[in-house]
Structure formats: structure tokens, C-alpha cells
Amino acid sequence: MKTLLSYILVMICSVTLLVAQPDKTKIKEIKVAYFTEKLSLTKAESEKFWKVYDQYDEERHALRKAAKKPEDKKKFSEMTDKEIYDFIDYSFDMKEKELALQKKYFVEFKKILPAQKVVRLIHIEEQFRQYLFKQAQHKK
């Protein structure tokens, strides 16, 4: 019952934040509440976790931003074979860089959180993306 009430409280706060604040700030606040509740972070874990997670998120965002090349918008039907192969190689390189970044930070998360919470983190990130997507659809 207590978990249900806390979940309902998080959802109400989430909807309120969606309406009241600028996008990045409100998404960050919703994310903190969502992850903290889903991972059942203690106060001590939360303080350490968010410092590391914020660094991870910034590096991941920078990597994805750097991955966007102008020629990516070109249709494959308009590309030469060499351009297509170069694009595929580039895509693999970016995936390898993102995986290396994920491995690097999961080593850090293991120092902060128990194994059960570390493994749930991957799933919670995906659930949060789906949650935001649904919220955006409902907003339209």
C-alpha cells in the first residue's frame, strides 16, 4: 500500500512538473523521482548515484550529439555504395563508443549500488523513455 501511494504521488508530481516548468528542468526532476522510486535508492545511494549518473548522461548526450553528421539526412537510395558502407562503419563505431561509455560508468555504478539495482538500471532507463514518450503523446 505504501509503495502504491508513493507511486501515485510520483505520477501526480510528474504531471504537475510537465505543465509548470521548462522541458529540461522538468524532465530532470521527473527522472530523478522516477529512478529514485523504481530503484528504491536510499538517501546515501541517491547522493552518490546522481553525481555519477549526471556525468554519464552528459557524456552520452555529447556522444550522440557528435554522432549526428549532416550526410545522415541523405536517403540511402541517393547514396553511393561507398557512402553506405562508410555510414555503416561509422554507425558501428558510434555504437562501440556508446557501449564503452556504458561499461565505464557501470563499473562506477557497481561501486555505489548493489548488483540488483545496477541490473535494474538498464531496464528503468528504457521504461523511463517509454514513459516520456507516452506523456508526450497524451500532451498532444
Side-chain angles (χ1 to χ4, degrees):
M1 185 69 172
K2 190 175 182 181
T3 306
L4 178 62
L5 289 175
S6 64
Y7 183 72
I8 291 170
L9 180 63
V10 168
M11 292 303 127
I12 291 171
C13 290
S14 299
V15 172
T16 304
L17 289 170
L18 280 171
V19 175
Q21 298 175 343
D23 286 344
K24 286 185 180 185
T25 304
K26 69 183 170 193
I27 290 172
K28 173 65 177 168
E29 289 181 13
I30 294 168
K31 188 177 206 176
V32 168
Y34 189 90
F35 279 47
T36 301
E37 193 259 329
K38 293 287 186 180
L39 286 172
S40 302
L41 296 175
T42 65
K43 185 172 181 163
E45 287 173 338
S46 186
E47 289 173 4
K48 294 175 185 175
F49 171 79
W50 285 108
K51 287 178 185 176
V52 174
Y53 189 87
D54 288 343
Q55 292 171 340
Y56 167 61
D57 209 31
E58 285 177 28
E59 285 187 42
R60 186 171 50 175
H61 179 72
L63 183 63
R64 288 181 179 165
K65 189 174 180 181
K68 294 179 182 177
K69 295 170 43 175
E71 58 267 17
D72 287 353
K73 294 182 182 184
K74 197 174 184 182
K75 293 180 183 177
F76 288 116
S77 61
E78 299 170 354
M79 292 180 166
T80 65
D81 286 352
K82 183 187 178 338
E83 288 175 323
I84 291 171
Y85 290 134
D86 288 347
F87 177 81
I88 292 169
D89 289 341
Y90 181 78
S91 296
F92 285 141
D93 289 344
M94 293 313 298
K95 286 179 183 181
E96 286 175 351
K97 287 179 182 178
E98 191 164 345
L99 180 59
L101 182 67
Q102 199 173 28
K103 284 181 178 181
K104 171 186 163 186
Y105 276 96
F106 273 76
V107 167
E108 296 301 314
F109 294 138
K110 288 189 315 188
K111 295 175 185 174
I112 300 167
L113 303 173
Q116 292 294 321
K117 291 181 181 184
V118 173
V119 75
R120 286 191 354 232
L121 177 59
I122 297 167
H123 300 290
I124 290 169
E125 284 185 312
E126 182 56 35
Q127 289 172 351
F128 184 70
R129 278 191 284 277
Q130 291 173 358
Y131 169 77
L132 284 181
F133 183 72
K134 286 178 186 176
Q135 292 296 320
Q137 284 182 328
H138 291 298
K139 204 172 183 180
K140 290 180 183 180

